[in-house]
Amino acid sequence: NFGVASIGTAQEFLIYTNKVRLFQPDLVVLIFLTDNDVMNNSSTIQPKVYGMHDWYAPYFEVDSHGELVFRKVAERSLNSLRSFLENHSLLVHYLERIWSRVNFAPALWRGLPLPWGVYADPMEEEWMLAWTVTEKLLALVNRAVEADGSRFIVTVAPQFFDVDPVWRKRLTDNLGELPPEFKPLESLERVRDIAVRQGIRLDFLGPYFKRAREAYNLNWPYFSLPCDSHFSALGHQELAKAIIERLEAHKLLPAMN
């Protein structure tokens, strides 16, 4: 398991090429989230989302010829001293975590927090570029894995609109009136189109979670924690079961004797 929180496809590609391929895997499963990964892949949108917080990450950008260009992680001022204090001072550790909870990101999309712009249709130019970079990065990972003789599949994790039948009302209550351009289901079609164009094996886990929600007769927040949208223990369990089910359907698992 090489999963890392709060990263996008660029970092996943680097993790694969620098770490994962050393283990010569037979199969590489990449879990994709439309709500986070497209934003994470943008060198302009992600910094706006984090606002006053610095976000040190490598990026890929598209040049004038439509080719990906790698941009290294920006240098952090006083990095050696700050790293030492972060690793050795409990006070600095807790101060940083308190600071990270101060959320001041003024960038908006149609009156909503900027990350919701990933679900726009039609898309604005900045989001179109983010989706373009995402497509090229997914193709890059696919080529790297296949060149190593491994098999590759992208599984799209369930989104709020997959699990919550009253998601529109819940979002309206929390965020206010949703703009007419807000069409989250279109994001799944974009991922599907990317997979078709790039010859990437793809599967969606949303239908599995709908079945599980009904089988367990779950109420909100369903598979998530009550304090935020991350998976609960049940959510992680069902995610693992869903991935296994889909891998079996694609005949990507070895036969059991």
Side-chain angles (χ1 to χ4, degrees), residues 2-180:
F2 287 89
V4 179
S6 301
I7 67 170
T9 318
Q11 292 96 320
E12 289 165 341
F13 170 71
L14 296 172
I15 289 172
Y16 177 78
T17 54
N18 290 284
K19 300 289 185 182
V20 178
R21 69 172 12 149
L22 299 177
F23 291 81
Q24 299 180 324
D26 298 306
L27 171 68
V28 175
V29 180
L30 187 150
I31 301 177
F32 187 85
L33 294 96
T34 57
D35 58 354
N36 272 22
D37 287 354
V38 180
M39 178 270 290
N40 291 142
N41 294 335
S42 172
S43 64
T44 60
I45 297 174
Q46 180 162 261
K48 293 178 184 177
V49 170
Y50 285 93
M52 67 200 305
H53 298 294
D54 292 321
W55 192 256
Y56 298 93
Y59 293 102
F60 283 84
E61 297 174 334
V62 177
D63 65 15
S64 58
H65 302 289
E67 300 296 326
L68 286 177
V69 178
F70 180 61
R71 199 177 88 184
K72 294 182 178 180
V73 181
E75 289 289 333
R76 187 171 74 154
S77 59
L78 302 174
N79 182 59
S80 297
L81 175 60
R82 291 168 67 177
S83 296
F84 177 83
L85 293 174
E86 288 163 353
N87 292 327
H88 295 87
S89 170
L90 281 176
L91 176 61
V92 171
H93 174 86
Y94 285 110
L95 285 175
E96 283 196 337
R97 272 138 192 84
I98 293 170
W99 171 241
S100 69
R101 292 180 178 274
V102 179
N103 186 16
F104 179 71
L108 299 174
W109 171 77
R110 299 290 193 271
L112 303 181
L114 182 57
W116 294 104
V118 72
Y119 298 121
D121 184 45
M123 290 183 289
E124 295 177 355
E125 183 176 352
E126 193 172 33
W127 280 107
M128 289 178 63
L129 181 58
W131 277 98
T132 298
V133 171
T134 297
E135 176 170 353
K136 291 179 178 294
L137 285 170
L138 287 171
L140 195 63
V141 179
N142 185 46
R143 289 197 299 270
V145 173
E146 291 189 343
D148 290 340
S150 302
R151 292 172 293 179
F152 180 62
I153 184 170
V154 174
T155 57
V156 180
Q159 306 290 288
F160 62 93
F161 48 85
D162 285 318
V163 179
D164 189 353
V166 293
W167 63 264
R168 186 171 292 276
K169 180 181 184 305
R170 202 178 305 282
L171 282 183
T172 301
D173 290 344
N174 291 333
L175 299 174
E177 191 65 29
L178 302 177

